[in-house]
Amino acid sequence: MRPNYKKIYQDMLRMEYPEKLKDPKIKELLEKLNTSEDVLKFNEKLFKQSRENQKLKTYDRHTMLKLLQYQKKHGHSTSYMSRKYKISRTTLSKWKLMFEEELNTMKSAGK
């Protein structure tokens, strides 16, 4: 069972930033919280990121694969991806090992 991010953010905004709930852009973004990538983008737009928050990031399978496919498609290095998305190189390497077979299958299938 997944957390209901829409409800979590609505409650949080209602308590701390009720004026932001009136913003139509915020309302629209709240409706689109489906993946961890969506949640991270939404969180980044609402609140300024701090270094401490970087340690608390979690990614779902879909987002991990999407980032790895993007890296492969554009030929980016692990260091570049690490800087761009603020993910450690170690984490990216672990993902590559975890999804190596799936990434190779996607490549041979032409995705």
Side-chain angles (χ1 to χ4, degrees):
M1 185 155 178
R2 294 176 36 115
N4 185 345
Y5 291 112
K6 179 181 175 183
K7 177 88 169 105
I8 292 169
Y9 275 106
Q10 282 177 333
D11 290 346
M12 190 168 62
L13 288 170
R14 193 175 294 115
M15 287 191 275
E16 306 218 6
Y17 307 99
E19 69 282 356
K20 288 187 179 186
L21 271 174
K22 296 173 185 169
D23 185 340
K25 287 183 182 179
I26 300 290
K27 286 181 181 180
E28 182 182 336
L29 289 171
L30 272 171
E31 296 298 323
K32 297 178 182 177
L33 296 178
N34 299 320
T35 66
S36 58
E37 183 181 15
D38 298 334
V39 172
L40 290 171
K41 284 180 182 179
F42 181 73
N43 195 57
E44 196 172 292
K45 287 181 182 182
L46 276 182
F47 310 107
K48 297 197 189 249
Q49 289 292 321
S50 71
R51 285 302 237 172
E52 295 169 16
N53 288 345
Q54 297 300 318
K55 296 177 185 176
L56 303 176
K57 284 186 178 179
T58 59
Y59 294 88
D60 60 14
R61 179 183 185 83
H62 172 77
T63 304
M64 288 185 261
L65 282 168
K66 188 174 176 181
L67 286 169
L68 292 172
Q69 288 168 343
Y70 175 82
Q71 178 185 9
K72 198 171 217 176
K73 179 180 178 183
H74 296 285
H76 294 310
S77 69
T78 302
S79 293
Y80 173 82
M81 294 294 288
S82 175
R83 285 188 309 271
K84 181 174 179 161
Y85 293 102
K86 297 179 179 86
I87 302 169
S88 76
R89 290 176 301 163
T90 306
T91 298
L92 288 166
S93 297
K94 285 179 185 178
W95 291 356
K96 283 183 186 177
L97 288 174
M98 280 174 36
F99 299 114
E100 183 177 15
E101 196 173 300
E102 197 167 333
L103 287 168
N104 289 334
T105 304
M106 287 177 172
K107 183 180 179 183
S108 63
K111 285 188 176 180

